[in-house]
């Protein structure tokens, strides 16, 4: 009974509309990642669901029930704040215990509950410390423990890994999915980190400018981003974007790059002659030893442990990033050729930034319908 | 940690001493005066050597004022008690009304909230003398003149705006997320106010209460006009020392020492609350 449904949610601060008509559906027990740049309205949206902020229009339904008029303390939600929001005058134990004291548990039940969750999150040795004496990682775990301790049916996690160091963030990214699955709660997880989003979400909703611009599985968001902006936000190194004008002949629709044909999906024939951007993931490109493919000049290479990223330029000095698994051979300098897997190419309208769908309709148009 | 050179430290100590002496000297001198007779005080040139006497304190406490013109009785201890009563009850009432009001102004932006808050502050703009005449007339008509209740009420003009505006700032400094977190954990708004907002604004409330207490204690004009002898605080009562037969410096000094002692003690006691910065480390900025 913890299905979250938002209908046309609107929130204004003074005259600025921070959320303009959010519709969202999070099935019971699933995890939705709310992804977006800062200022997109992610935190406000979470607060509306928690009841800390009152929406101006629309409704929030939890478990099928409209909770618009339900006070935050009666919504049965666990929430972890980005800034932790620990109670500075209470020790870690009392912080974690606060949801339990509210529902009138006995001292023994409270102790047992806090101990269990503290052991789970490996903070059982610092329960007597005040927040001031905790490290950032411990604060973050304490805040998480406080959200989890009463086994809420709905968990709202507002970028809980934002303020912890890289090592801990990586560990938590691995631990969290299991932890959330064990809870069996419906989770909305806010983040600005696309890796976190891909790792944790059953679905990802991309929020920008107070609107959801795409809502899909991590795979969909990565493979078929709705806009150029989303394509840029997901993936490291970032997607290559090249100005092209699709053309067609007897053999199908194609774009040209350095006089080479890149075959496009025949469904894109409606966009022939339109000013477009071709999006190519760096890992969809590969070097070839044969003398076919796009001729490029190698400019620089950045080796990472697991992959190597090469910056190349085309004949017309357009820069392209190519990513390949480490230890695969590649020409170190001079001229080379790259091949492109056309299935990985995505086409965007250059004017609107919206992805052009091979089925003839753009994603945005689909959504509006 | 300390990179200062010895010379720098000596100079710093000297500067600090100079400042302390400058500010504390009048009080030090009054303490000395309170331990002397009128004759030794009025010696010329003044001298630091004298035989200390507690006669002044004895006279004030017993209420028997001896002067060269004869003996008269004063009610200084009664005045002191009045000061304590008026200040304590005024501050208590102002805290009771002002702290919840400050919380409301800090957290709930309702229509006209700024105007109401400003109106309350504006009570402090008007010179007290301006409002005293109408106030006296009203109080006489209502039977509030020369009552503790009436005085405590009028003292709210001094204490309430002060507490309201200082405490409001402290409430605003508490991250709303901390309160939201407590609400979402399942506690009602009143529990949140009591368990989160009040303790976290504690130092601010202590500071505001102390300031209000000092202002109330030092108030002169309201009590002078609205209270008769038996309800007057020390500020007004001190006028009795200026007699036809001369000014009793020693006794005035003793009275001053006794009347600043309570505020001084209160300030020393409240100091630990004032310096305690509880909010540190609570949220990541």
């Amino acid at each position: 009974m913890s299905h979250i449904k938002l209908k046309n949610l609107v929130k204004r601060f003074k005259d600025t509309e921070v959320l303009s008509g959010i519709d969202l559906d999070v099935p019971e027990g699933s995890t939705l990642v709310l992804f977006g740049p800062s200022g997109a309205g992610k935190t406000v949206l979470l607060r509306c669901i928690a009841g800390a902020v009152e929406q101006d229009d629309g409704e929030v339904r939890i478990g099928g029930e409209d909770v618009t008029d339900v006070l935050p303390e009666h919504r049965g939600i666990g929430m972890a704040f980005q800034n932790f929001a620990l109670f500075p005058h209470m020790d870690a134990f009392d912080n974690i215990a606060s949801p339990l004291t509210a529902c009138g548990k006995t001292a023994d039940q409270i102790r047992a509950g806090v101990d269990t969750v503290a052991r789970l999150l490996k903070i059982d040795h610092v329960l007597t410390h005040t927040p001031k004496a905790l490290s950032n990682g411990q604060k973050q775990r304490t805040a998480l423990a406080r959200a989890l301790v009463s086994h809420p049916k709905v968990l709202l996690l507002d970028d809980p890994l934002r303020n912890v160091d890289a090592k801990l963030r990586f560990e938590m990214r691995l631990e969290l999915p299991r932890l959330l699955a064990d809870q069996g709660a419906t989770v909305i997880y806010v983040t600005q980190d696309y890796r976190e989003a891909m790792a944790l979400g059953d679905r990802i909703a991309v929020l920008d400018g107070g609107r959801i611009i795409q809502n899909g599985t991590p795979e969909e968001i990565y493979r078929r981003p709705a806009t150029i902006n989303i394509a840029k936000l997901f993936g490291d190194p970032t997607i290559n974007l090249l100005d092209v004008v699709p053309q067609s002949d007897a053999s199908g629709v194609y774009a040209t790059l350095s006089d080479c044909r890149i075959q496009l999906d025949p469904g894109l024939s409606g966009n022939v002659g339109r000013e477009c951007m071709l999006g190519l993931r760096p890992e969809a490109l590969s070097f070839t030893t044969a003398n076919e493919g796009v001729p490029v000049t190698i400019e620089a290479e950045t080796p990472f442990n697991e992959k190597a990223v090469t910056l190349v330029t085309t004949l017309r000095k357009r820069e392209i990033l190519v990513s390949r698994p480490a230890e695969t051979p590649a020409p170190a300098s001079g001229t080379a050729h790259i091949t492109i897997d056309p299935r990985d190419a995505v086409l965007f309208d250059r004017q609107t930034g919206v992805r052009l769908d091979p089925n003839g309709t753009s994603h945005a148009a689909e959504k509006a319908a | 940690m300390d990179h200062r050179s010895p010379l720098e430290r000596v100079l710093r100590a000297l500067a600090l001493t100079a400042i302390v002496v400058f500010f504390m000297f009048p009080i030090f001198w009054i303490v000395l005066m309170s331990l002397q007779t009128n004759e030794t005080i009025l010696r010329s040139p003044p001298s630091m050597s004298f035989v200390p006497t507690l006669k002044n304190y004895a006279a004030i406490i017993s209420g028997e004022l001896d002067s060269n013109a004869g003996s008269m009785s004063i009610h200084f201890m009664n005045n002191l008690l009045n000061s304590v009563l008026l200040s304590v009850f005024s501050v208590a009432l102002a805290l009771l009304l002002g702290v919840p009001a400050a919380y409301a102004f800090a957290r709930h932006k309702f229509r006209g909230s700024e105007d109401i808050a400003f109106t309350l502050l504006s009570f402090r703009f008007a010179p007290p003398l301006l409002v005293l005449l109408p106030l006296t007339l009203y109080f006489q008509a209502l039977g509030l003149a020369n009552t503790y209740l009436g005085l405590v009420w009028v003292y709210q003009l001094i204490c309430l705006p002060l507490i309201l505006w200082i405490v409001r700032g402290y409430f605003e400094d508490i991250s709303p997320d901390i309160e939201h977190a407590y609400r979402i954990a399942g506690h009602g708004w009143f529990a949140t106010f009591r368990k989160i907002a009040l303790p976290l604004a504690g130092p601010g409330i202590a500071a505001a209460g102390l300031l209000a207490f000092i202002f109330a204690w030092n108030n002169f004009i309201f009590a002078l006009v609205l209270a008769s002898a038996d309800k007057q605080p020390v500020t007004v009562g001190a006028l009795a020392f200026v007699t036809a037969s001369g000014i009793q410096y020693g006794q005035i000094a003793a009275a001053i020492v006794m009347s600043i002692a309570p505020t001084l003690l209160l300030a020393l006691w409240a100091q630990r609350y004032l310096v305690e910065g509880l909010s540190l480390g609570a949220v990541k900025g």
Side-chain angles (χ1 to χ4, degrees):
Chain A
M1 293 302 285
S2 52
H3 173 182
I4 304 172
K5 198 172 169 68
L6 308 182
K7 264 194 212 157
N8 190 32
L9 203 68
V10 176
K11 176 70 198 168
R12 280 178 285 264
F13 286 127
K14 298 248 167 67
D15 292 331
T16 20
E17 206 165 68
V18 215
L19 299 176
S20 5
I22 302 284
D23 291 298
L24 208 56
D25 208 337
V26 191
E28 183 170 351
S30 72
T31 300
L32 176 94
V33 169
L34 210 53
F35 178 91
S38 13
K42 307 183 296 285
T43 297
V44 178
L45 179 57
L46 224 53
R47 278 166 201 203
C48 282
I49 300 171
V53 166
E54 216 174 304
Q55 72 265 28
D56 292 313
D57 204 356
E59 57 183 49
V60 178
R61 289 179 169 274
I62 298 175
E65 186 196 346
D66 185 0
V67 295
T68 305
D69 294 324
V70 179
L71 293 171
E73 59 265 34
H74 298 134
R75 291 194 185 186
I77 282 173
M79 181 160 175
F81 290 75
Q82 183 191 311
N83 57 15
F84 310 138
L86 297 173
F87 314 129
H89 55 308
M90 302 181 185
D91 61 18
F93 181 92
D94 286 338
N95 263 286
I96 299 171
S98 63
L100 297 178
T101 55
C103 50
K105 290 263 180 16
T106 65
D108 286 342
Q109 286 171 317
I110 291 174
R111 173 142 293 280
V114 173
D115 281 347
T116 312
V117 74
R119 258 199 308 279
L120 188 69
L121 290 167
K122 304 184 192 94
I123 44 169
D124 41 333
H125 57 293
V126 292
L127 285 179
T128 53
H129 294 16
T130 57
K132 218 188 292 190
L134 297 175
S135 73
N136 262 353
Q138 289 164 341
K139 279 184 203 170
Q140 182 264 320
R141 280 158 188 266
T142 307
L144 204 56
R146 187 176 65 186
L148 296 176
V149 72
S150 60
H151 301 286
K153 289 273 166 270
V154 172
L155 261 178
L156 306 176
L157 306 177
D158 187 356
D159 214 346
L161 304 186
R162 177 83 173 280
N163 287 317
V164 299
D165 59 74
K167 182 172 169 286
L168 184 69
R169 196 177 314 151
F170 185 76
E171 278 175 28
M172 289 302 289
R173 213 185 281 153
L174 290 176
E175 278 176 42
L176 267 176
R178 189 173 48 86
L179 205 66
L180 298 180
D182 288 351
Q183 289 278 320
T186 311
V187 183
I188 298 186
Y189 188 103
V190 165
T191 183
Q192 286 194 45
D193 182 334
Y194 88 93
R195 286 189 196 83
E196 233 166 276
M198 307 275 285
L200 293 171
D202 293 322
R203 287 183 81 81
I204 299 175
V206 183
L207 194 66
D208 197 7
R211 287 171 198 286
I212 290 179
I213 43 179
Q214 190 172 8
N215 182 348
T217 62
E219 164 91 11
E220 275 167 16
I221 304 261
Y222 191 77
R223 295 269 164 222
R224 298 192 291 281
T227 66
I228 291 181
N229 274 338
I230 297 176
K232 281 191 206 158
L233 289 169
F234 282 80
D236 177 33
T238 45
I239 193 166
N240 295 299
L241 292 162
L242 303 162
D243 295 347
V244 292
V245 178
Q247 284 159 329
S248 71
D249 59 15
S251 62
V253 188
Y254 66 95
T256 44
L257 185 61
S258 293
D259 300 329
C260 288
R261 280 174 69 115
I262 300 167
Q263 201 66 34
L264 297 174
D265 194 298
L268 290 164
S269 58
N271 299 298
V272 169
R274 192 197 289 254
E275 302 258 297
C276 288
M277 288 275 229
L278 184 65
L280 296 167
R281 293 276 174 203
E283 64 272 18
L285 307 174
S286 49
F287 289 105
T288 167
T289 45
N291 255 357
E292 55 200 38
V294 183
V296 292
T297 315
I298 292 178
E299 299 287 341
E301 176 162 285
T302 316
F304 295 99
N305 275 329
E306 77 288 1
K307 66 183 174 202
V309 177
T310 316
L311 174 69
V312 300
T313 50
T314 63
L315 294 179
R316 277 192 285 154
K317 295 292 169 207
R318 295 203 281 196
E319 294 186 340
I320 297 180
L321 290 169
V322 181
S323 170
R324 65 190 157 80
E327 293 163 26
T328 48
S333 63
T335 345
H337 289 84
I338 52 173
T339 56
I340 295 161
D341 187 344
R343 282 168 305 167
D344 285 327
V346 273
L347 200 65
F348 301 98
D349 186 313
R350 201 187 304 171
Q351 223 88 61
T352 60
V354 173
R355 188 173 70 91
L356 300 166
D357 198 79
N359 303 324
T361 50
S362 73
H363 189 90
E366 208 172 90
K367 247 192 75 101
Chain B
M1 285 294 282
D2 198 353
H3 299 300
R4 288 193 295 259
S5 69
L7 178 71
E8 207 178 330
R9 254 178 285 173
V10 169
L11 287 176
R12 185 178 285 257
L14 277 177
L16 281 175
T17 316
I19 291 168
V20 170
V21 167
F22 180 78
F23 283 109
M24 293 305 286
F25 188 75
I27 297 196
F28 171 71
W29 196 249
I30 283 169
V31 172
L32 285 187
M33 274 168 70
S34 72
L35 297 171
Q36 302 174 53
T37 60
N38 230 11
E39 291 75 50
T40 49
I41 293 168
L42 295 173
R43 268 180 314 190
S44 183
S47 157
M48 296 279 275
S49 69
F50 58 90
V51 184
T53 167
L54 289 174
K55 252 174 62 193
N56 294 322
Y57 288 97
I60 295 230
I61 291 168
S62 67
E64 291 296 317
L65 213 58
D66 293 315
S67 68
N68 35 14
S71 151
M72 59 175 284
S73 78
I74 56 156
H75 307 286
F76 188 77
M77 290 316 282
N78 191 24
N79 290 337
L80 200 61
L81 182 70
N82 284 340
S83 269
V84 172
L85 283 178
L86 288 174
S87 304
V88 166
F89 281 106
S90 301
V91 171
L93 182 64
L95 284 174
L96 209 64
L97 297 173
V99 171
Y103 186 69
F105 285 127
R107 279 286 177 263
H108 305 286
K109 300 287 175 223
F110 48 92
R111 189 138 48 115
S113 64
E114 281 308 311
D115 300 327
I116 297 171
F118 190 77
T119 307
L120 283 165
L121 183 68
S122 73
F123 290 165
R124 302 228 42 162
F125 298 165
L129 275 174
L130 209 67
V131 292
L132 259 174
L133 180 67
L135 208 59
T136 313
L137 295 174
Y138 282 130
F139 267 40
Q140 271 160 1
L142 290 168
L144 283 169
N146 199 28
T147 60
Y148 287 117
L149 178 68
L151 280 171
V152 166
W153 195 348
V154 173
Y155 272 37
Q156 295 311 308
L157 284 176
I158 306 163
C159 300
L160 197 57
L162 202 69
I163 285 176
L164 189 81
W165 276 81
I166 294 179
V167 175
R168 177 189 179 178
Y170 276 84
F171 279 136
E172 278 170 353
D173 281 350
I174 302 172
S175 160
D177 280 349
I178 294 181
E179 288 179 33
H180 289 154
Y182 204 65
R183 288 292 296 273
I184 291 166
H187 302 267
W189 69 267
F190 190 68
T192 308
F193 173 67
R194 224 161 38 89
K195 295 281 179 58
I196 303 293
L198 275 189
L200 290 181
I205 296 171
L210 181 67
L211 265 179
F213 186 88
I214 292 170
F215 274 83
W217 186 275
N218 290 343
N219 183 265
F220 174 73
I221 196 84
F222 286 137
L224 176 71
V225 176
L226 291 172
S228 61
D230 61 323
K231 303 279 187 332
Q232 277 167 352
V234 280
T235 43
V236 183
L239 286 175
F241 293 102
V242 184
T243 62
S245 59
I247 300 170
Q248 305 301 315
Y249 289 105
Q251 280 142 1
I252 290 183
I256 290 173
V257 171
M258 285 174 70
S259 58
I260 61 173
T263 40
L264 195 67
L265 289 177
L266 189 70
L268 286 176
W269 173 77
Q271 204 179 26
R272 61 191 168 126
Y273 295 104
L274 301 183
V275 293
E276 239 172 54
L278 263 174
S279 201
L280 261 174
V283 291
K284 169 98 182 171

